[in-house]
Amino acid sequence: MDGSIEFQDNSTSLSGTLRQLINGIRGQSVTLRELMDAVGEQGLLLICAVASLPFLIPVSIPGVSTVFGAAIILISLAITANRLPWLPKKILDRQLDTKKLVPALEKGVNIVSRLDRFLKPRLSALTTGKFVNRLNGLAITLAGVLLMFPLGLIPFSNTLPGIAILLLATGMIQRDGLIVLGGYLFNVITVIYFGVLAYAAFSAGQGLATLLS
């Protein structure tokens, strides 16, 4: 093996694949290493999709944002570089509480099952070729960085980049260029949303400074 990545066509229902992965989770805790071992090398995009699921619903699971956010960034950078990813032991072996994680993943899969009906091979120019894979990998990296911004208490700050990651990853898995485009759109929406938040915070700071002076 030369360490390069080739994404194989996948005709299996994405929600079905995710359910099989979730059903295999046993015990009181699970690590990212165990999840990656379950999906194998061809599951890099699937891991990105799985990692985005807890952010699609309003749930707080200690450690998930750091572990899954970092994993998404490092895996997507590996996709961009066309190399199998290296992940630090601290990220791979962090224990995640299955009692909180599994229900969140299952709710995310319910969302994916609705997406399944729209997934089909189309606009192949956006999902095939090393250059396109690298470009899409950079888009997932951007969404992962936005996901890790310390804005968890602000509505939609995690949800918007989470949707972008899910659409980009699932679109690449199922060779659906239209869904990939949707991922790019949600990246743009997230950047605009964060820009509005930053401007509002700056304006509020200026107003407070003026009031105090």
Side-chain angles (χ1 to χ4, degrees):
M1 182 185 300
D2 63 3
S4 63
I5 301 171
E6 285 188 30
F7 297 117
Q8 298 172 349
D9 292 333
N10 185 4
S11 59
T12 306
S13 160
L14 182 61
S15 60
T17 303
L18 291 175
R19 286 190 188 282
Q20 289 178 2
L21 177 64
I22 294 169
N23 290 338
I25 296 176
R26 297 287 185 269
Q28 296 182 342
S29 64
V30 67
T31 65
L32 181 62
R33 185 189 301 275
E34 290 168 340
L35 292 176
M36 292 190 70
D37 286 344
V39 298
E41 292 175 2
Q42 288 298 332
L44 297 180
L45 289 170
L46 183 61
I47 283 293
C48 287
V50 169
S52 73
L53 297 182
F55 303 103
L56 305 185
I57 56 176
V59 63
S60 177
I61 307 173
V64 165
S65 179
T66 301
V67 172
F68 281 5
I72 288 169
I73 292 172
L74 293 172
I75 290 173
S76 59
L77 285 174
I79 292 171
T80 302
N82 195 36
R83 288 291 181 269
L84 295 177
W86 172 86
L87 296 175
K89 188 175 183 295
K90 185 177 180 180
I91 297 295
L92 284 172
D93 295 330
R94 175 74 176 270
Q95 298 290 325
L96 302 172
D97 186 354
T98 56
K99 288 184 179 179
K100 293 182 178 179
L101 178 62
V102 170
L105 293 178
E106 288 176 342
K107 290 179 181 178
V109 170
N110 290 334
I111 296 174
V112 174
S113 65
R114 296 179 193 142
L115 182 63
D116 267 337
R117 71 188 71 174
F118 301 106
L119 289 168
K120 60 182 179 181
R122 53 189 161 182
L123 299 180
S124 59
L126 297 176
T127 60
T128 55
K130 289 184 178 180
F131 174 76
V132 172
N133 281 339
R134 289 176 176 179
L135 191 62
N136 292 339
L138 282 176
I140 297 175
T141 302
L142 172 61
V145 170
L146 295 172
L147 186 67
M148 292 193 71
F149 270 38
L151 302 172
L153 297 179
I154 298 177
F156 306 115
S157 61
N158 282 341
T159 304
L160 292 175
I163 292 173
I165 293 164
L166 178 63
L167 293 179
L168 287 162
T170 56
M172 291 177 71
I173 291 170
Q174 301 290 355
R175 296 287 192 260
D176 192 332
L178 185 61
I179 296 298
V180 168
L181 275 180
Y184 279 95
L185 175 62
F186 269 91
N187 261 350
V188 172
I189 292 172
T190 305
V191 170
I192 293 173
Y193 182 58
F194 282 12
V196 170
L197 291 176
Y199 178 76
F202 176 75
S203 298
Q206 278 195 323
L208 181 60
T210 302
L211 182 63
L212 292 175
S213 63

